[in-house]
C-alpha cells in the first residue's frame, strides 16, 4: 500500500527549487535521479475497466513492459492508500489472455472476459526522484514529474510533485513534510491524478 500526497506546480522557479534544495526544516533531500518515462493507459473502447473502478497502465522498460492495474477511489481527499497489482511483459500485447498468469490477469479477465484492450491515452514524462530522510532514516520519496499527456490528438503539459511512502507507520511524518512544502511555497494539493486529468481532456 502506497500513501501519497500530490501538489500541482505552476511556477517553474518553484519546480527548480524543489530539485535543488538540500533541507526543509528537519527533512533532508538526496541528490536527484532523472528518468524518462513513457506510459500508455489501456482500456476497452467503452472504458469498461474504468466503469468497474480500475486503471491499467503499460510502462515501457529497458526489457519489455510493466503492467500496473490500480483500484481507483481508495483513500480520502489527496492522501490515498492505493491498491494495485503488477506483472511484467516481455512482448507488447494488449490482449490480457496472452499475459502471464498473475493477479493482474485474474482481475482483468474477471472484469472484462475475452476483451482486447487499446491505448486510450499516453504520457511522456521527465521524472526527477529524491529520497527524503528525517534524521538518519529515509522514509519517503519526493517525485517531481514534468508531464505531457496525449489524448486523441490533444496535448496538455503540467508539473507536479508527489510525496510517497510505502510504510503506513510513516503517514504522519509524510503529512508533516507535505505541510512544510505547503507553507514554504504556498503549494495547493492537486485534486486530480494524472489519469483523471487525461480523462478530463475528453470532456473539453
Amino acid at each position: 500500500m502506497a500513501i501519497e500526497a500530490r501538489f500541482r506546480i505552476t511556477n517553474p522557479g518553484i519546480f527548480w527549487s524543489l530539485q535543488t534544495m538540500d533541507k526543509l526544516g528537519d527533512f533532508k533531500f538526496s541528490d536527484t535521479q532523472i528518468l524518462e518515462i513513457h506510459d500508455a493507459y489501456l482500456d476497452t473502447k467503452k472504458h469498461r475497466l474504468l466503469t468497474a473502478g480500475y486503471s491499467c497502465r503499460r510502462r515501457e522498460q529497458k526489457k519489455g513492459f510493466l503492467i500496473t492495474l490500480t483500484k481507483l477511489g481508495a483513500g480520502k481527499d489527496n492522501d490515498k492508500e492505493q491498491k494495485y497489482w503488477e506483472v511484467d511483459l516481455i512482448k507488447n500485447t494488449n490482449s490480457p489472455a496472452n499475459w502471464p498468469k498473475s493477479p493482474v490477469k485474474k482481475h482483468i479477465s474477471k472484469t472484462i472476459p475475452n476483451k482486447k484492450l487499446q491505448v486510450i491515452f499516453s504520457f511522456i514524462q521527465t521524472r526527477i526522484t529524491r529520497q527524503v530522510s528525517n534524521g538518519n532514516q529515509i522514509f519517503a520519496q519526493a517525485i517531481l514529474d514534468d508531464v505531457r499527456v496525449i489524448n486523441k490528438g490533444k496535448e496538455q503539459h503540467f508539473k507536479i510533485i508527489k510525496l510517497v511512502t510505502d510504510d503506513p507507520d510513516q503517514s504522519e511524518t509524510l503529512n508533516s513534510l507535505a505541510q512544510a512544502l505547503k507553507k514554504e511555497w504556498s503549494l495547493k494539493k492537486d485534486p486530480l491524478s494524472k489519469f483523471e486529468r487525461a480523462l478530463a481532456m475528453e470532456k473539453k
Side-chain angles (χ1 to χ4, degrees), residues 64-106:
F65 302 84
L66 175 67
I67 300 292
T68 303
L69 181 69
T70 302
K71 182 65 176 176
L72 301 173
K76 296 181 180 179
D77 301 323
N78 190 237
D79 302 304
K80 300 180 179 179
E81 293 189 18
Q82 290 188 324
K83 191 172 185 179
Y84 61 91
W85 305 268
E86 295 182 332
V87 64
D88 290 300
L89 302 184
I90 297 175
K91 295 182 179 180
N92 183 17
T93 172
N94 292 343
S95 176
N98 296 325
W99 294 356
K101 186 177 180 180
S102 62
V104 172
K105 181 176 181 178
K106 179 180 178 180

Side-chain angles (χ1 to χ4, degrees), residues 1-4 79-84 163-168 174:
M1 292 285 191
I3 301 171
E4 67 178 52
D79 302 304
K80 300 180 179 179
E81 293 189 18
Q82 290 188 324
K83 191 172 185 179
Y84 61 91
L163 310 174
V164 183
T165 182
D166 292 324
D167 184 355
L174 188 79

